[in-house]
Amino acid sequence: MALPPYRPTGPETAALATLPTPLEPMPRLGVALGLGPDDLWVKRDDLIGLGGGGNKVRKLERTMAAALHDGADVVVTSGAPQSNHARLTAAAGARLGVPVVLVLVGDEPATETGNLLLDRLLGARIVWAGDVGAEGLAAAVQDAADHERSAGRRPGVIPFGGSNAVGARAYEDAGRELLDQAPDLRDVVVAVGSGGTMAGLVSALGPERVLGVDTGAVDDAEDRVRSLWGAIAPDDAAAGTLRIRSDLVGAGYEVLTDDTRAAMQLVARTEGIVLDPVYTGRAAAGLVAGVRDGVVTAGSRTVLLHSGGLPGLFGHPHASPWREA
């Protein structure tokens, strides 16, 4: 017997995540970087459960519930071809019994790998927007929503990366969860994509304890984070100073940099933890650079947020750069 789709009766969250996610020590990596064996830890939001895991699950608990509470019977969202948010929106739709339309930048590839393969497996319909910027992608999302509306459906649009005030509040909760696990936390290092994850953490932990690493996903990472932080806590955002490194973007969002490659290899070979080449790999590169620059220091608790993204590694154009000579 088919189950009816999930339909919230109030502004609640949909139960999608397995929480709390683990906080694990990384002693070998810490020592390799010149920190103490108890200084460096990893917050495993890659082990959050749904659809291959990742930070977007926390946001989707709120954004999907909000869309469905407003009457949506189909969800439309957008992203890059290897978008983790797109994959997890497809997974959330499957879990909740709601169709999902993904509007992705670019043209349909000859072979679908990585997150794209999982998008199909999870049952999403994919619309290719072509070579467009942010405005063109927004227009393509509107067209997709209008198409659903003309077919008699009620589309709910979830923003790029799931990053709005509703989604960012999920990482305000995550920040409090992290403080429960590590009350002595000094620094948490996090990749900055669409900005909601860092904004929520800053709201919970304060800007002095959050070090963001820009991935190049948006034109102005600081402006995006501050805007989302301001939507949660306007007084704090007006006065606070954000810590964001923008020196690790390299040639662009989807281009694997030498620093990221080296950081991914170091984490894999000291701790057996695999990162992705766009987000968590850059976050790890930011951690390495932070230690080198004296921003991250020995004798205090530092946490690397593992925000997931492993499936994207298998769809990356440079997915095999570690072959030994």
Side-chain angles (χ1 to χ4, degrees):
M1 182 177 68
L3 293 173
Y6 167 81
R7 184 65 58 185
T9 57
E12 60 195 58
T13 59
L16 300 173
T18 302
L19 300 173
T21 57
L23 182 67
E24 300 176 349
M26 292 200 291
R28 284 172 48 78
L29 178 61
V31 170
L33 294 178
L35 303 176
D38 298 322
D39 291 344
L40 187 58
W41 296 67
V42 58
K43 178 66 168 165
R44 299 295 302 270
D45 272 16
D46 60 316
L47 301 181
I48 209 164
L50 182 76
N55 64 323
K56 304 300 183 181
V57 178
R58 291 186 190 262
K59 299 177 183 180
L60 284 161
E61 286 197 321
R62 289 173 173 265
T63 55
M64 287 289 284
L68 299 180
H69 180 251
D70 289 342
D73 56 13
V74 60
V75 168
V76 181
T77 196
S78 59
Q82 288 295 329
S83 167
N84 298 308
H85 165 69
R87 162 178 51 91
L88 288 169
T89 304
R95 172 75 64 85
L96 300 175
V98 181
V100 171
V101 179
L102 305 177
V103 182
L104 304 181
V105 175
D107 299 312
E108 183 174 5
T111 302
E112 292 178 343
T113 58
N115 278 319
L116 273 176
L117 186 153
L118 296 179
D119 295 339
R120 294 288 191 192
L121 177 65
L122 291 161
R125 182 169 76 85
I126 299 175
V127 175
W128 291 97
D131 185 14
V132 295
E135 291 185 3
L137 183 60
V141 168
Q142 185 61 55
D143 288 345
D146 289 343
H147 174 79
E148 296 299 319
R149 200 172 287 110
S150 68
R153 291 181 282 270
R154 298 183 301 278
V157 175
I158 293 178
F160 178 86
S163 289
N164 56 13
V166 173
R169 286 192 183 279
Y171 264 87
E172 198 175 35
D173 294 341
R176 297 187 187 103
E177 178 183 301
L178 182 54
L179 275 181
D180 286 342
Q181 295 171 314
D184 59 343
L185 173 71
R186 175 181 163 181
D187 292 299
V188 56
V189 182
V190 58
V192 180
S194 51
T197 298
M198 182 175 179
L201 290 174
V202 165
S203 183
L205 304 174
E208 70 283 352
R209 288 201 279 194
V210 184
L211 175 60
V213 182
D214 185 6
T215 65
V218 295
D219 291 337
D220 189 332
E222 181 168 348
D223 181 69
R224 179 65 67 92
V225 172
R226 187 174 297 281
S227 175
L228 289 166
W229 181 21
I232 301 171
D235 292 341
D236 293 342
T241 301
L242 293 169
R243 302 166 64 206
I244 299 179
R245 294 191 74 110
S246 296
D247 57 341
L248 294 162
V249 174
Y253 171 71
E254 294 184 331
V255 180
L256 179 63
T257 68
D258 290 342
D259 288 335
T260 299
R261 179 188 292 110
M264 291 174 68
Q265 180 171 301
L266 181 62
V267 174
R269 296 184 182 184
T270 55
E271 297 293 347
I273 294 175
V274 181
L275 307 177
D276 83 288
V278 176
Y279 296 102
T280 53
R282 275 195 176 95
L287 169 65
V288 172
V291 175
R292 182 189 64 227
D293 297 346
V295 174
V296 176
T297 58
S300 58
R301 172 104 66 159
T302 297
V303 172
L304 174 68
L305 178 70
H306 192 330
S307 55
L310 175 59
L313 175 62
F314 302 107
H316 197 275
H318 304 290
S320 301
W322 293 276
R323 185 175 297 164
E324 303 293 348

